[in-house]
Amino acid sequence: MNVGASTSCFYPLETEKALSRVIDLGFKKTEIFFNTSSELEPSFVKEMKREADDNGVRVLSVHPFSSALENNCIFGEYQRRYEDFIGLYEKHCHAAALLGAKVVVIHGALDRRKIALPDELYFERFMSLVEIGKREGVLVCQENVDRFKSQHIDFMKRMRAALGSDFHMVFDIKQSIRAGYEPFDFLDEFKNEIAHVHLSDNRLPEADCIAPGRGSFDFKRLFETLDNADYRGDYVIEIYSKGVDVAEELKLSKRFFENM
């Protein structure tokens, strides 16, 4: 099984250095997690693309650094703020296109807000992101994220009904667990709309995000379920560096998947 690794695994290492670490570990696929606006400048993005190409690495996806802003700046009630910030997503989608990536990952709005955001407005705003992605030839995808509206299967079903064929999902194992959902409930419901997968393992109840191969998650079932749904997307390891030697953990996971 040929899986990739996200540069976010090495946060807070600078993005270009994180890409070099992923390359040095022998991964041939990656997700770029941008960390600030200057990294979206074409000169920076093209240098990242050059390094990836020179090492035979394919950039699969882009994760905006502005996920923490989306709740108020894209999915908020204040129209002018939305108009001021939407350009940041034009830059992310353009960066994805320059890198040859096919997916841009969106977190969206928090689940609990002082002022409830109507689903209709959420879906309208998300469609504006989808249209930006279309102009650049990339898929803008909703990730299931703990504490966000997208943590709920029922919300995602309403979103799918509203967006139709424009609904695409990034499935994240650890986020499903943290939200209190059995991951395969999400997977079985949305297997035909999933465009990208974030991989992690778990050993519950003490650990909900560890390196694949360290826990008990049924990866064989995951791959079989998506294979049977004619899945054409990719798989990327996304774990966190705090408290672990993330390079060694990624080495372990790489061997784990190669031996499956």
Side-chain angles (χ1 to χ4, degrees), residues 152-212:
H152 298 295
I153 289 177
D154 285 346
F155 173 81
M156 296 288 268
K157 289 168 70 173
R158 293 195 298 274
M159 187 173 179
R160 178 174 59 188
L163 271 60
S165 61
D166 288 315
F167 174 77
H168 301 282
M169 179 181 172
V170 173
F171 175 62
D172 189 301
I173 296 169
K174 63 184 172 296
Q175 296 290 350
S176 177
I177 291 169
R178 290 177 174 182
Y181 281 95
E182 160 57 49
F184 287 100
D185 289 345
F186 248 108
L187 190 70
D188 290 340
E189 179 62 42
F190 298 106
K191 57 182 179 289
N192 294 312
E193 289 83 29
I194 293 172
H196 189 63
V197 178
H198 285 160
L199 298 174
S200 59
D201 210 336
N202 56 79
R203 190 168 54 248
L204 300 177
E206 64 269 21
D208 59 16
C209 178
I210 54 180

Coordinates of all heavy atoms in Angstrom, one line a residue, residues 152-212:
H152 N -20.7 15.9 12.5 CA -22.0 15.1 12.5 C -22.4 14.5 11.2 O -22.4 15.2 10.2 CB -23.1 16.1 12.9 CG -23.0 16.7 14.3 ND1 -23.0 16.0 15.5 CD2 -22.8 18.0 14.6 CE1 -22.8 16.8 16.5 NE2 -22.7 18.0 16.0
I153 N -22.7 13.2 11.2 CA -23.1 12.5 10.0 C -24.3 13.2 9.4 O -24.4 13.4 8.2 CB -23.3 11.0 10.3 CG1 -22.0 10.3 10.6 CG2 -24.1 10.3 9.2 CD1 -22.1 8.9 10.9
D154 N -25.3 13.5 10.3 CA -26.5 14.1 9.8 C -26.3 15.4 9.1 O -26.9 15.7 8.0 CB -27.6 14.3 10.9 CG -28.2 13.0 11.3 OD1 -28.0 12.0 10.6 OD2 -28.8 13.0 12.4
F155 N -25.4 16.3 9.6 CA -25.1 17.5 8.9 C -24.4 17.2 7.6 O -24.8 17.9 6.6 CB -24.1 18.4 9.8 CG -23.6 19.6 9.1 CD1 -24.4 20.7 9.0 CD2 -22.4 19.6 8.4 CE1 -24.0 21.9 8.3 CE2 -21.9 20.7 7.7 CZ -22.8 21.9 7.7
M156 N -23.5 16.3 7.5 CA -22.9 16.0 6.3 C -23.8 15.4 5.2 O -23.7 15.7 4.0 CB -21.7 15.0 6.5 CG -20.6 15.6 7.4 SD -19.6 16.9 6.5 CE -18.3 15.8 5.9
K157 N -24.8 14.7 5.7 CA -25.9 14.2 4.8 C -26.7 15.4 4.2 O -27.0 15.4 3.0 CB -26.8 13.2 5.5 CG -26.1 11.9 5.8 CD -26.9 11.0 6.8 CE -28.1 10.4 6.2 NZ -28.8 9.5 7.1
R158 N -27.0 16.4 5.0 CA -27.7 17.5 4.5 C -26.9 18.3 3.6 O -27.4 18.8 2.5 CB -28.2 18.4 5.7 CG -29.2 17.8 6.6 CD -29.8 18.8 7.5 NE -28.9 19.5 8.4 CZ -28.5 19.0 9.6 NH1 -29.0 17.8 10.0 NH2 -27.7 19.7 10.4
M159 N -25.6 18.4 3.8 CA -24.7 19.1 3.0 C -24.6 18.4 1.6 O -24.6 19.0 0.5 CB -23.3 19.2 3.6 CG -22.3 20.0 2.8 SD -20.8 20.2 3.8 CE -19.8 21.2 2.7
R160 N -24.5 17.1 1.7 CA -24.5 16.3 0.4 C -25.7 16.5 -0.4 O -25.7 16.7 -1.6 CB -24.3 14.8 0.8 CG -24.3 13.9 -0.4 CD -24.0 12.4 0.0 NE -25.0 11.9 0.9 CZ -24.9 10.7 1.5 NH1 -23.9 10.0 1.3 NH2 -25.8 10.3 2.4
A161 N -26.9 16.5 0.3 CA -28.1 16.7 -0.5 C -28.2 18.1 -1.1 O -28.7 18.3 -2.2 CB -29.3 16.6 0.5
A162 N -27.6 19.1 -0.4 CA -27.7 20.5 -0.9 C -26.7 20.7 -2.1 O -27.0 21.4 -3.0 CB -27.3 21.5 0.2
L163 N -25.5 20.1 -2.0 CA -24.4 20.3 -3.0 C -24.5 19.4 -4.1 O -23.9 19.6 -5.2 CB -23.1 20.3 -2.3 CG -22.5 21.6 -1.7 CD1 -23.4 22.2 -0.6 CD2 -21.1 21.4 -1.2
G164 N -25.1 18.2 -3.9 CA -25.2 17.2 -5.0 C -23.9 16.7 -5.4 O -23.0 16.4 -4.6
S165 N -23.6 16.7 -6.7 CA -22.3 16.2 -7.2 C -21.1 17.0 -6.9 O -20.0 16.6 -7.1 CB -22.4 16.0 -8.7 OG -22.6 17.3 -9.4
D166 N -21.4 18.2 -6.3 CA -20.2 19.1 -5.9 C -19.8 18.8 -4.5 O -18.9 19.4 -3.9 CB -20.6 20.6 -6.0 CG -20.7 21.0 -7.4 OD1 -19.8 20.7 -8.2 OD2 -21.7 21.7 -7.8
F167 N -20.5 17.8 -3.8 CA -20.1 17.5 -2.4 C -19.0 16.4 -2.5 O -19.1 15.3 -3.0 CB -21.3 16.9 -1.7 CG -20.9 16.4 -0.3 CD1 -20.7 17.2 0.8 CD2 -20.8 15.0 -0.1 CE1 -20.3 16.8 2.0 CE2 -20.4 14.5 1.2 CZ -20.2 15.4 2.2
H168 N -17.8 16.8 -1.9 CA -16.7 15.8 -1.8 C -16.2 16.0 -0.3 O -16.1 17.0 0.2 CB -15.6 16.2 -2.8 CG -16.1 16.1 -4.2 ND1 -16.2 14.9 -4.9 CD2 -16.4 17.1 -5.1 CE1 -16.7 15.2 -6.1 NE2 -16.8 16.5 -6.2
M169 N -15.7 14.8 0.2 CA -15.3 14.8 1.6 C -13.9 14.3 1.7 O -13.4 13.4 1.0 CB -16.2 13.8 2.3 CG -15.9 13.6 3.8 SD -17.1 12.5 4.5 CE -16.3 12.3 6.1
V170 N -13.2 14.9 2.8 CA -11.9 14.3 3.3 C -12.3 13.6 4.6 O -12.9 14.2 5.5 CB -10.9 15.4 3.6 CG1 -9.7 14.8 4.3 CG2 -10.5 16.1 2.3
F171 N -12.0 12.3 4.6 CA -12.3 11.5 5.8 C -11.1 11.4 6.6 O -10.0 11.0 6.2 CB -12.7 10.1 5.3 CG -13.0 9.1 6.5 CD1 -13.9 9.4 7.4 CD2 -12.2 8.0 6.6 CE1 -14.1 8.5 8.5 CE2 -12.4 7.1 7.7 CZ -13.3 7.4 8.6
D172 N -11.2 11.7 7.9 CA -10.2 11.7 8.9 C -10.5 10.8 10.0 O -11.5 11.0 10.7 CB -9.9 13.1 9.4 CG -8.6 13.2 10.3 OD1 -8.6 12.5 11.3 OD2 -7.7 14.0 9.9
I173 N -9.7 9.7 10.2 CA -10.0 8.7 11.2 C -10.1 9.3 12.6 O -11.0 9.1 13.4 CB -9.0 7.6 11.2 CG1 -9.1 6.8 9.8 CG2 -9.2 6.6 12.3 CD1 -7.9 5.9 9.5
K174 N -9.0 10.0 13.0 CA -8.9 10.5 14.4 C -10.0 11.5 14.7 O -10.5 11.6 15.9 CB -7.5 11.1 14.6 CG -7.2 12.4 13.8 CD -5.8 12.8 14.0 CE -5.4 13.9 13.1 NZ -5.4 13.5 11.7
Q175 N -10.4 12.3 13.7 CA -11.4 13.3 14.0 C -12.8 12.7 14.2 O -13.6 13.1 15.0 CB -11.5 14.3 12.8 CG -10.3 15.1 12.5 CD -10.1 16.2 13.6 OE1 -10.9 16.4 14.5 NE2 -8.9 16.8 13.6
S176 N -13.0 11.6 13.5 CA -14.3 10.8 13.8 C -14.3 10.3 15.2 O -15.3 10.4 15.9 CB -14.4 9.7 12.7 OG -15.5 8.9 13.0
I177 N -13.2 9.7 15.6 CA -13.1 9.1 17.0 C -13.3 10.2 18.0 O -14.0 10.1 19.0 CB -11.8 8.4 17.1 CG1 -11.8 7.1 16.3 CG2 -11.5 8.1 18.6 CD1 -10.4 6.5 16.2
R178 N -12.6 11.4 17.8 CA -12.7 12.5 18.8 C -14.1 13.0 18.9 O -14.5 13.5 19.9 CB -11.7 13.5 18.4 CG -10.3 13.1 18.7 CD -9.3 14.1 18.2 NE -7.9 13.7 18.6 CZ -6.8 14.4 18.4 NH1 -6.9 15.6 17.8 NH2 -5.6 13.9 18.8
A179 N -14.8 12.9 17.8 CA -16.2 13.4 17.8 C -17.2 12.4 18.3 O -18.4 12.7 18.5 CB -16.6 13.8 16.4
G180 N -16.7 11.2 18.7 CA -17.6 10.2 19.3 C -18.3 9.3 18.3 O -19.2 8.6 18.6
Y181 N -17.7 9.3 17.0 CA -18.3 8.4 16.0 C -17.5 7.2 15.7 O -16.2 7.3 15.7 CB -18.5 9.2 14.7 CG -19.7 10.1 14.7 CD1 -19.6 11.4 15.0 CD2 -21.0 9.6 14.4 CE1 -20.7 12.3 15.0 CE2 -22.1 10.4 14.3 CZ -22.0 11.8 14.7 OH -23.1 12.6 14.6
E182 N -18.1 6.1 15.5 CA -17.4 4.9 15.0 C -16.9 5.3 13.5 O -17.7 5.7 12.7 CB -18.3 3.7 14.9 CG -17.9 2.6 14.0 CD -16.5 2.1 14.3 OE1 -16.2 1.8 15.5 OE2 -15.7 2.0 13.3
P183 N -15.6 5.3 13.2 CA -15.1 5.7 11.9 C -15.8 5.0 10.8 O -16.1 5.6 9.7 CB -13.7 5.4 11.9 CG -13.3 5.5 13.4 CD -14.5 4.9 14.1
F184 N -16.2 3.7 10.9 CA -16.8 3.0 9.8 C -18.3 3.4 9.6 O -18.8 3.2 8.5 CB -16.6 1.5 10.0 CG -15.2 1.1 9.7 CD1 -14.4 0.8 10.8 CD2 -14.7 0.9 8.4 CE1 -13.1 0.4 10.6 CE2 -13.4 0.5 8.2 CZ -12.6 0.3 9.3
D185 N -18.9 4.1 10.6 CA -20.2 4.6 10.3 C -20.1 5.8 9.3 O -20.9 5.9 8.4 CB -20.8 5.1 11.6 CG -21.2 4.0 12.5 OD1 -21.3 2.8 12.1 OD2 -21.5 4.3 13.7
F186 N -19.1 6.6 9.5 CA -18.8 7.7 8.5 C -18.4 7.1 7.2 O -18.9 7.5 6.1 CB -17.7 8.6 9.0 CG -18.1 10.0 9.4 CD1 -18.2 10.3 10.8 CD2 -18.5 10.9 8.5 CE1 -18.6 11.6 11.1 CE2 -18.8 12.2 8.8 CZ -18.9 12.5 10.1
L187 N -17.5 6.2 7.2 CA -17.0 5.6 6.0 C -18.1 4.9 5.2 O -18.2 5.1 3.9 CB -15.9 4.6 6.3 CG -15.1 4.0 5.2 CD1 -14.2 5.1 4.6 CD2 -14.2 2.9 5.6
D188 N -18.9 4.1 5.8 CA -20.0 3.4 5.1 C -21.0 4.4 4.5 O -21.5 4.2 3.4 CB -20.7 2.5 6.0 CG -19.8 1.3 6.4 OD1 -18.8 1.0 5.7 OD2 -20.1 0.6 7.4
E189 N -21.3 5.5 5.2 CA -22.2 6.5 4.7 C -21.7 7.3 3.5 O -22.4 7.6 2.5 CB -22.7 7.4 5.8 CG -23.7 8.5 5.4 CD -25.0 7.9 4.9 OE1 -25.5 7.0 5.5 OE2 -25.5 8.4 3.9
F190 N -20.4 7.6 3.5 CA -19.9 8.6 2.5 C -18.8 8.0 1.6 O -18.1 8.7 1.0 CB -19.3 9.8 3.3 CG -20.4 10.6 4.1 CD1 -20.4 10.5 5.4 CD2 -21.3 11.4 3.4 CE1 -21.4 11.2 6.2 CE2 -22.3 12.0 4.1 CZ -22.3 12.0 5.5
K191 N -18.7 6.7 1.6 CA -17.6 6.1 0.8 C -17.6 6.5 -0.7 O -16.6 6.5 -1.3 CB -17.7 4.5 0.9 CG -19.0 3.9 0.5 CD -19.0 2.4 0.7 CE -20.3 1.7 0.3 NZ -21.4 2.0 1.3
N192 N -18.8 6.8 -1.2 CA -18.9 7.2 -2.6 C -18.5 8.7 -2.8 O -18.3 9.1 -4.0 CB -20.2 7.0 -3.2 CG -20.5 5.5 -3.2 OD1 -19.7 4.7 -3.7 ND2 -21.7 5.1 -2.7
E193 N -18.4 9.5 -1.7 CA -18.1 10.9 -1.9 C -16.7 11.3 -1.3 O -16.3 12.4 -1.4 CB -19.1 11.8 -1.1 CG -20.5 11.8 -1.8 CD -21.4 10.6 -1.4 OE1 -21.2 10.1 -0.3 OE2 -22.2 10.2 -2.2
I194 N -16.0 10.3 -0.7 CA -14.7 10.6 -0.2 C -13.7 10.7 -1.3 O -13.6 9.9 -2.2 CB -14.3 9.4 0.8 CG1 -15.2 9.5 2.0 CG2 -12.8 9.6 1.2 CD1 -15.0 8.3 3.0
A195 N -12.9 11.8 -1.2 CA -11.9 12.1 -2.2 C -10.5 12.0 -1.7 O -9.5 12.0 -2.5 CB -12.2 13.5 -2.8
H196 N -10.3 11.9 -0.4 CA -9.0 12.0 0.2 C -9.2 11.4 1.7 O -10.2 11.6 2.3 CB -8.5 13.4 0.2 CG -7.1 13.6 0.6 ND1 -6.0 13.1 -0.1 CD2 -6.6 14.3 1.7 CE1 -4.9 13.5 0.5 NE2 -5.2 14.2 1.6
V197 N -8.1 10.8 2.2 CA -8.2 10.2 3.5 C -7.0 10.5 4.3 O -5.8 10.4 3.9 CB -8.3 8.6 3.4 CG1 -8.4 8.0 4.8 CG2 -9.6 8.2 2.6
H198 N -7.2 11.0 5.6 CA -6.1 11.2 6.5 C -6.1 10.0 7.5 O -7.0 9.6 8.1 CB -6.5 12.4 7.4 CG -6.2 13.7 6.7 ND1 -6.8 14.9 7.1 CD2 -5.5 14.0 5.6 CE1 -6.4 15.9 6.2 NE2 -5.6 15.3 5.3
L199 N -4.9 9.4 7.5 CA -4.7 8.1 8.2 C -4.0 8.4 9.6 O -3.1 9.2 9.7 CB -3.8 7.2 7.4 CG -4.3 6.7 6.1 CD1 -3.2 5.9 5.4 CD2 -5.5 5.8 6.3
S200 N -4.5 7.7 10.6 CA -3.9 7.6 11.9 C -4.4 6.3 12.6 O -5.3 5.7 12.1 CB -4.2 8.9 12.8 OG -5.6 9.0 12.9
D201 N -3.8 6.0 13.6 CA -4.2 4.8 14.4 C -4.7 5.2 15.7 O -4.7 6.4 16.1 CB -3.0 3.8 14.5 CG -3.4 2.3 14.5 OD1 -4.5 2.0 14.9 OD2 -2.5 1.5 14.2
N202 N -5.2 4.2 16.5 CA -5.6 4.5 17.9 C -5.5 3.3 18.7 O -5.5 2.1 18.2 CB -7.1 5.0 17.8 CG -8.0 4.1 17.1 OD1 -8.4 3.1 17.7 ND2 -8.3 4.3 15.9
R203 N -5.4 3.5 20.0 CA -5.4 2.5 21.0 C -6.3 3.0 22.2 O -5.8 3.6 23.1 CB -4.0 2.2 21.5 CG -3.9 0.9 22.4 CD -2.4 0.6 22.5 NE -1.6 1.7 23.0 CZ -0.6 2.3 22.3 NH1 -0.4 1.9 21.1 NH2 0.0 3.3 22.9
L204 N -7.6 2.8 22.0 CA -8.6 3.4 22.9 C -8.7 2.6 24.2 O -8.5 1.4 24.2 CB -9.9 3.5 22.2 CG -9.9 4.3 20.9 CD1 -11.3 4.3 20.3 CD2 -9.5 5.8 21.2
P205 N -8.9 3.3 25.3 CA -9.3 4.8 25.4 C -8.1 5.7 25.6 O -8.3 6.9 25.7 CB -10.2 4.8 26.7 CG -9.6 3.7 27.5 CD -9.1 2.6 26.6
E206 N -6.9 5.2 25.7 CA -5.8 6.1 26.1 C -5.2 6.9 25.0 O -4.5 7.9 25.2 CB -4.6 5.2 26.8 CG -3.9 4.2 25.9 CD -4.6 2.8 25.9 OE1 -5.8 2.8 26.3 OE2 -3.9 1.9 25.6
A207 N -5.3 6.4 23.7 CA -4.7 7.2 22.6 C -5.6 7.2 21.4 O -6.0 6.1 20.9 CB -3.4 6.5 22.3
D208 N -6.0 8.4 20.9 CA -6.9 8.5 19.8 C -6.2 8.9 18.5 O -6.8 9.0 17.4 CB -8.1 9.4 20.1 CG -7.6 10.8 20.4 OD1 -6.5 11.2 20.2 OD2 -8.5 11.6 20.9
C209 N -4.8 9.2 18.6 CA -4.1 9.6 17.4 C -2.6 9.2 17.6 O -1.8 9.9 18.2 CB -4.2 11.1 17.2 SG -3.2 11.7 15.7
I210 N -2.3 8.0 17.0 CA -1.0 7.5 17.0 C -0.6 7.0 15.6 O -1.5 7.0 14.8 CB -0.8 6.4 18.1 CG1 -1.8 5.3 17.9 CG2 -0.9 6.9 19.5 CD1 -1.7 4.1 18.8
A211 N 0.7 6.7 15.4 CA 1.1 6.3 14.1 C 0.5 5.0 13.7 O 0.3 4.1 14.5 CB 2.6 6.2 14.1
P212 N 0.1 5.0 12.4 CA -0.5 3.7 11.9 C 0.5 2.5 12.1 O 1.7 2.7 11.8 CB -0.7 4.0 10.4 CG -0.9 5.4 10.4 CD -0.1 6.0 11.4

